[in-house]
Structure formats: C-alpha cells, structure tokens
Amino acid sequence: MATLVLSAAGAAIGGPVGGLVGSFVGRQFDRSFGAGSGTRLSDLRAPSSQYGDPIPRVLRQMRVAGVVLWASEPVATALVSKSVSEQASSVSFAYGLSSGFVEDVGRIWADGRLIRDGEGRQDVSFTLRLNHGDEDQLSDPLIASLLGEENTPAFRGIAYLVFENFDLSSFGNRLPLITVEVLANGDPIIADDIVRSELDLAGVTNDRPHKLDGFALTGDNGAVALQPLFDALKPALSYDGRKWGIGAASSQHVIDSHFWALESDRQSHFRMDGQCEVPTKVSVRYFDPAIDYLAGEKSARQPGVERLRRIELPAAMSGERAKALAFEQLQQVAQESKAYWLTLPLSYAAIQVGDHVGSGSSRDFVVCEKTLNAGQLRLRLRPTNELNTPNVVDVEAPTKTPMLQREDLTIALVELPNPSLSNDLEIAILVSGGHKPFRALPVVINSAGTEVETISARVAAPLGRLRRPLPSASGSLLDLQNIIEVEFDQDPELTSCTDEAMFAGANLICVDGEFMQFAIAKPMGAAKYELSRLVRRRFDSGRDAPHDAGSSAILLDPASLATFKVPREVVGTVFTARVSGPDNAAAEATLPVAGTAARPWAPAHLNVRETAGGLELSWVRRCRDGGAWLDNVDAPLGSSREAYRVTLRDGLGMTIEAHSDSPHSVISSIMLDQMAPRPWRLEVRQIGDFAAGNPLVHIID
C-alpha cells in the first residue's frame, strides 16, 4: 500500500527519478518487518557468461566472480617423458569485473584456491592484464590480434582482466571458478553517498554515517541494485518542493495540540491470522575482508519468540560494523512497529507523505499514508528513528588476512534419542574451540583401537554447564517450578518459543543424560541463560535424581551437529572421538553406546489389584515409534515381539521375577507368602530386540 502511494506521489512531484525515490520510501515502510528481495550475497559468488547477465559495479574493494566476456579456443600441449605421456591445455579469456572504473586487483582464487597473492606472486602460469574500465579505453591487443581490430569490442566502461595462456592442467583441463579481489585506495565509502550519487540527490551526510569498505551494485535495474542499501540502512529521504534529497525531512509541521490525538494502528504489526510479525531478531549478512571476503553474519535480538529478519548486504565491512548495524536495525524496527492514525481538519491538507509532524513538545512522526474522506484528513504515522545505538569502535578492515586466534578444543558425544525408521543408531559429535572464527576440524572415530570413520565438524557447537543444581521432576507434565541456570562457552543466542513449537521439537537440550526442552530463554549476561517452562525426561530419558551444579548442558541444535550412524547390534560398544585442531591441539570424548533410540520406553498406567489369588497387574505399553498419538490406532510394538519382565523385591533382598508376552501379569499368593513384610518395590520393563527399557516403578505398601 505504502509503496503504491509513495511511488505515485514521488512521480507526480519529482518525475521518473522521483517515482523511483518514492517507491524506495514506500518499501521502507512495507518491508520494515520482512527481508528485502534485492541482491543476494550468492549473486557475487557465481560467475556468468550468459548474454544479458548484469555485470556488477564494484565500489572501492570487493571479492567478485566476474563475467566471461570472451575466450579463445583451448591450446593443447603434449607432455611426453620416458614413463608417461600427458596432455595439458591453456586458454586465454577476458573476465569482466565491474561496470565501472577499477583501480587495481589483488588476490585471485580459482576453485577457492589462492593462485595469486597480494604481492602478485602466482601459483599458476598465466599473463595478467587489467583494463581499468575507462570510457575511452582501447581494444585489448590479444583479442584484437585474434578477432581483428574492426571486430574487437573495447568494452568501454567495463573493467576486465585478460588472462593470457592460463594453464588448465591443475584444474582437470577445464576453466575453474575464478574470483578476484578488486582494490582501491582511499577512505571507506559512505552508504548515504552511494544513494546520493546514484539518484543525484541533494543533502549532507548524517552525523552517524555507515562506512563500508566496499559495495557491489548489481541487479536488473537501479531499484534492485540500491534496494539492499534501503533495506539495511533506511536512508532518510525528503522533498523540498523542487528536488528530492537525503538527510533532513522535507517539511516539518507542528500540529495544534487540540487536534493531536493518536489512534494506535494495531494491524500494522499483525498479520491477517493474528500472529505478530515484528522481528525480534535482525541478522546482517555481509562480506568480511578479514577472512578472504567470506560471507559473515552478525545478529541482534531481543527476548521473545524468534521472528527473524535477515538483511543481505552485498558490502565488504568488518564484523564490528555489521554487529552495530544489526543492533541499530533492531531498534529501528521496534520503533517502526508502532504505527498510529491521526485525524485532522482539511486546513492541514498541505501535509505530504514523507513529511514530519509533531505537536510541539511531542516527538516527531513521519507521514507514511494520507487519505481524504468525508471532509477529514487521515494520516498514518510512524515514529522517527531516534536510535540509541551505543558507539562502536570504528575498526578499519585489514587488507590482509590476520593470524587467526586460538581457543581450547572441546568435544562431546551424545547418543541421539530420536526415533527413526532405520535400524541405525545416531551419535552426535559437538566440537567447540580451535580457530576463532571457527573453521572445520577433522574428527576421527575409533572403537577398540580401530578407526571406524572420519568426519568433519563444520560448525562450532555451544557447550555449557549448569550454574546451579537442578532438582528432579516428572516427565508427565510441564515443569513450571524449576529453572535451568546454564552458562555456555559461546553465546548460542537462545530464543523463546511457543508451546506448539516446543512440542514439535524446538529448543532441545541434554543435561547430564536427560533430554529436556524449554519454552522460555531469558538472557542473563555473556552466554548465560535462565531456561524455564520445561518439558523433562523427554524420550524416556534421565533418572529420578537431581543434577548437580557443573553438570554438562549440551544444546542439540541440528545446525551445529555432526553425526555418524552405527547399527543397533553394537549396543554396549565404546566409541572414542578425537578432534585435531591448530598447533597440534587435540581433544577426546568417549561414549558407551546404550541403545537409547532402540530401547523401549517404560510402560505407563500401572494398575495393581490385590485378590485372594495374589497380585493382578496390568499396564499400557508405550513405544517411541508411536509418539504421534493417533486416535483409534493402537500404538505400534516397535520390536519383533512383545515381552515384559516383572520384578518384585522386598526390603531383605528377596526377588520374584516373572515374564509376560502381554501387558498384564499375575504374581500368585503362594509366591507372595515367601516375601518379607511390605513395602515392596515393583518394576515393569518392556524387553526390546536390542535392550531392555527403563522400568515403571511402583511401591506397594
């Protein structure tokens, strides 16, 4: 709605450029609660050679995958020796980098491998020539010599590299994926300056400029190219009656306090289904020059059910700047979620969309919609952005990759309890530490001194410890009394969730062997949380005993798990996992396989009936494969046969054991007469194909 209104208004008062600017203003309001649809970071990672594909315009510095403008026929070379005969190939090609001037290039990668460093040293044989992208540049001499001067385009306005006789032998005699570091001298660029230059806007830089080490303008048109900046930074646009500008508001209007009565617009941040859509977490994805321009992501969040807004910003910037931007946008979104309606007489009809209004002592609001109806003026308002983002140290992005920091290695093994249709057990490997930022580490799994498998831990997993003891609780009901106080070795940025999401599997944690879930996560400082509204003893895990302070607390986030599978027949086998890190550091963890996912669950609803003939027992079986609780459908057995073991013990050690192939059993009075006086401890276990289940315990007084 706002996009249409503002685009029409902009075109009416500012022509085609005004229409474009007006549409940006509208999108700022319409997209306040969602991700934009502009450039994605992956757009700069995949090279292209198709006709009509856009060539990005790189500002200052960036690592880009270009466009193949021209390529020669491969030249084959025979390599013959006494023992072997091989054939190598080379090719010459022109590689478009930017639809604008490029001052210099630095490092070059081929298939992710560095083939030219920052000093110009090459790992692969080729001759490199840069055409800077001037509007009067001449044709490249190599291409002209092959195609003829009259048939060779000069590619004016396009900066491109010519790779001459590029050796393909290291890449299977095929052209690899090339990415190039584009460089320029000078200070970081200001985001507002990019918008101002591209749209020819007036105005001055604000007192809190967003500095970028580089930016790539790419897309089918100018709107798509600039949209990431508007989504991420929301520059303030204004109109002074003659020209659009950036920075100050177009007009300031003071409303008589007699008419200043704001009506809350609740629908502004609720969807049609009644669900709130105001983000509680904002993530900024960017390119980090400190780690070879790999994509990084920094987030800011506030308590509550996670509603994520992810911003894709095709910019080179430091992690500190990206983190500050995420915090700023989170505050801005929170302010923009507060929308109001103001009804005024027609004497205020001169107020336009984009103007600022206020009532003297009140704060300013920006007009995002204007309607005239029944002799009244209706304005839809949002608060202006008065952010309190803390000052962040302005760290200039280094031009070379710094030495990575080191952290102590930690590894943990957890046998996952989730039911599966396969016959395999699944063991999760969680690794923390090593490089900072984290890099993939190899993990070797051994059993009885024999290497079983080698996998890669690609994501750092947050590993924690209880700060205070946690009392035991039943798994039958929500635990609303106890709180898990936990501290992690790195902040997992936990968020709360609804009960529906929790019962669907969200927020799963393993505390000293007991699987539990939490609905409320309350941050308590650096990597410290209080977790409440718990579901305890999930998957029939744990025991009826408290957990001591210092007990392990492992967050089971699927994104941070590396797993390997073993057959159910190995129940009882001990596995050892060893992770190797930088500087010959290593860590080990050992796990005896208990068959958690193969063990039947404890029966439920035990009924004990005393008769003249003895004790008549009955119960209801439970099966991990039948957790869906389907109506009018019997729970599946989950094993090849149905079997139970019933054990009755007295206080002197006398034990009666009975076996049954159905969910009921009888202990005769003759056997009971041999028992010591009560109380007696009764246990009922279901026997599975690979292990016995946990017992259902009942005390008979």
Side-chain angles (χ1 to χ4, degrees):
M1 175 63 182
T3 300
L4 297 176
V5 172
L6 284 163
S7 180
I13 61 179
V17 174
L20 180 61
V21 174
S23 69
F24 279 132
V25 179
R27 288 174 188 174
Q28 286 189 43
F29 300 125
D30 288 340
R31 298 189 183 190
S32 295
F33 310 127
S37 59
T39 303
R40 292 187 175 273
L41 302 193
S42 57
D43 295 344
L44 303 178
R45 282 287 181 254
S48 171
S49 60
Q50 295 190 15
Y51 182 79
D53 284 347
I55 300 176
R57 182 145 63 89
V58 179
L59 307 179
R60 201 171 181 268
Q61 70 181 61
M62 183 70 71
R63 177 179 172 180
V64 295
V67 176
V68 178
L69 302 176
W70 166 86
S72 68
E73 293 293 331
V75 177
T77 304
L79 304 176
V80 181
S81 64
K82 293 182 180 180
S83 58
V84 67
S85 176
E86 296 180 349
Q87 178 173 304
S89 298
S90 63
V91 68
S92 299
F93 58 96
Y95 205 59
L97 301 177
S98 172
S99 58
F101 184 81
V102 166
E103 185 174 328
D104 199 1
V105 295
R107 293 169 291 175
I108 299 176
W109 295 263
D111 287 347
R113 162 189 161 194
L114 187 66
I115 62 172
R116 183 182 189 267
D117 63 16
E119 306 299 328
R121 294 183 291 265
Q122 297 179 187
D123 190 39
V124 173
S125 175
F126 59 85
T127 301
L128 188 68
R129 185 164 51 256
L130 172 63
N131 293 274
H132 295 276
D134 298 311
E135 292 298 335
D136 57 353
Q137 70 183 4
L138 302 177
S139 302
D140 186 81
L142 172 65
I143 304 176
S145 67
L146 296 175
L147 301 182
E149 187 68 38
E150 67 281 0
N151 298 321
T152 303
F155 299 114
R156 289 179 177 141
I158 297 177
Y160 66 98
L161 288 173
V162 175
F163 292 83
E164 191 170 341
N165 297 324
F166 186 94
D167 184 9
L168 301 175
S169 59
S170 301
F171 307 99
N173 290 326
R174 61 169 180 81
L175 188 64
L177 189 157
I178 302 288
T179 53
V180 180
E181 180 184 30
V182 173
L183 296 176
N185 296 319
D187 297 329
I189 54 180
I190 307 300
D192 284 356
D193 291 344
I194 299 175
V195 177
R196 185 180 300 109
S197 174
E198 293 300 313
L199 298 179
D200 190 25
L201 302 179
V204 296
T205 302
N206 62 49
D207 57 353
R208 274 185 161 176
H210 297 96
K211 295 183 179 181
L212 307 175
D213 295 302
F215 190 80
L217 291 163
T218 182
D220 295 334
N221 52 57
V224 175
L226 287 175
Q227 191 62 55
L229 283 176
F230 280 83
D231 287 340
L233 308 178
K234 295 184 174 63
L237 297 171
S238 60
Y239 188 73
D240 62 4
R242 294 177 293 106
K243 188 175 182 180
W244 282 95
I246 186 170
S250 54
S251 298
Q252 298 278 349
H253 301 271
V254 177
I255 309 299
D256 191 307
S257 59
H258 178 72
F259 301 113
W260 190 258
L262 298 180
E263 307 167 32
S264 177
D265 182 13
R266 184 179 183 273
Q267 294 301 317
S268 65
H269 53 280
F270 282 81
R271 299 198 307 261
M272 293 183 64
D273 58 5
Q275 295 296 315
C276 182
E277 62 177 5
V278 179
T280 57
K281 180 178 180 180
V282 174
S283 293
V284 176
R285 298 193 70 229
Y286 64 102
F287 294 117
D288 194 340
I291 51 175
D292 295 345
Y293 300 90
L294 295 178
E297 185 166 355
K298 295 293 183 179
S299 302
R301 59 177 177 75
Q302 60 185 16
V305 177
E306 179 174 321
R307 292 182 294 273
L308 173 64
R309 179 191 178 213
R310 178 172 281 114
I311 298 172
E312 300 261 354
L313 188 61
M317 60 195 306
S318 66
E320 290 83 357
R321 288 178 183 154
K323 187 74 171 180
L325 177 60
F327 273 104
E328 176 183 317
Q329 293 308 304
L330 183 64
Q331 292 189 40
Q332 195 165 12
V333 162
Q335 289 186 2
E336 291 176 347
S337 68
K338 302 176 178 67
Y340 303 90
W341 283 100
L342 177 63
T343 302
L344 298 173
L346 292 181
S347 57
Y348 290 95
I351 296 176
Q352 300 296 328
V353 172
D355 286 354
H356 285 204
V357 298
S359 180
S361 59
S362 71
R363 63 177 299 182
D364 280 352
F365 292 78
V366 63
V367 179
C368 56
E369 189 175 332
K370 172 184 176 181
T371 61
L372 294 172
N373 186 24
Q376 288 186 324
L377 174 67
R378 292 271 290 172
L379 303 179
R380 189 164 180 259
L381 310 177
R382 290 191 190 278
T384 54
N385 299 318
E386 298 175 357
L387 302 178
N388 297 313
T389 306
N391 291 328
V392 177
V393 178
D394 185 17
V395 181
E396 299 296 333
T399 56
K400 294 184 179 180
T401 303
M403 181 66 69
L404 293 173
Q405 300 181 30
R406 306 287 192 261
E407 292 182 332
D408 292 338
L409 272 179
T410 309
I411 185 172
L413 298 179
V414 177
E415 186 178 345
L416 296 180
N418 307 62
S420 173
L421 296 178
S422 69
N423 289 323
D424 293 333
L425 304 175
E426 194 168 19
I427 298 175
I429 302 174
L430 302 99
V431 175
S432 179
H435 296 287
K436 185 180 180 182
F438 187 83
R439 289 189 172 183
L441 296 174
V443 180
V444 179
I445 298 102
N446 293 277
S447 177
T450 302
E451 181 176 328
V452 176
E453 191 173 352
T454 300
I455 63 175
S456 176
R458 300 183 179 275
V459 181
L463 304 177
R465 296 282 177 183
L466 293 187
R467 301 175 60 209
R468 297 181 183 275
L470 177 65
S472 61
S474 168
S476 303
L477 301 171
L478 282 173
D479 184 357
L480 303 180
Q481 295 183 340
N482 297 310
I483 295 177
I484 304 175
E485 297 187 41
V486 60
E487 180 176 2
F488 295 95
D489 58 359
Q490 56 181 299
D491 195 342
E493 298 186 354
L494 299 180
T495 57
S496 302
C497 69
T498 62
D499 287 351
E500 291 79 4
M502 179 173 61
F503 290 124
N507 289 353
L508 179 64
I509 190 171
C510 180
V511 178
D512 196 21
E514 179 185 348
F515 295 95
M516 57 186 77
Q517 291 174 274
F518 57 91
I520 299 175
K522 181 181 179 182
M524 300 300 294
K528 298 177 183 178
Y529 289 86
E530 288 186 355
L531 311 178
S532 57
R533 197 169 179 83
L534 309 174
V535 179
R536 303 288 297 273
R537 304 185 70 173
R538 297 290 281 143
F539 310 107
D540 201 37
S541 64
R543 60 190 187 279
D544 190 15
H547 300 286
D548 298 329
S551 297
S552 65
I554 301 174
L555 186 67
L556 296 178
D557 181 1
S560 62
L561 301 181
T563 63
F564 70 99
K565 294 183 178 181
V566 296
R568 298 191 179 194
E569 289 79 6
V570 302
V571 171
T573 304
V574 177
F575 286 90
T576 300
R578 178 183 176 88
V579 58
S580 300
D583 303 327
N584 297 320
E588 284 188 355
T590 300
L591 177 73
V593 178
T596 303
R599 183 188 301 120
W601 290 357
H605 303 297
L606 177 65
N607 181 31
V608 180
R609 182 167 171 262
E610 297 189 42
T611 66
L615 291 179
E616 294 184 359
L617 312 175
S618 64
W619 55 87
V620 176
R621 76 164 184 265
R622 292 195 303 156
C623 176
R624 62 179 62 251
D625 295 335
W629 291 355
L630 300 176
D631 292 337
N632 303 317
V633 176
D634 195 15
L637 187 59
S639 59
S640 61
R641 62 188 179 92
E642 186 172 9
Y644 303 92
R645 182 170 66 233
V646 180
T647 305
L648 185 66
R649 293 188 178 90
D650 62 20
L652 300 180
M654 177 67 181
T655 301
I656 298 175
E657 186 173 291
H659 295 267
S660 175
D661 57 3
S662 61
H664 57 268
S665 182
V666 176
I667 301 178
S668 67
S669 58
I670 298 176
M671 301 179 69
L672 294 177
D673 290 341
Q674 303 176 26
M675 303 287 290
R678 304 182 186 193
W680 299 330
R681 178 183 174 89
L682 176 67
E683 295 183 358
V684 180
R685 298 175 186 261
Q686 184 175 352
I687 309 301
D689 291 336
F690 302 95
N694 290 327
L696 168 62
V697 179
H698 179 72
I699 303 300
I700 301 177
D701 295 320

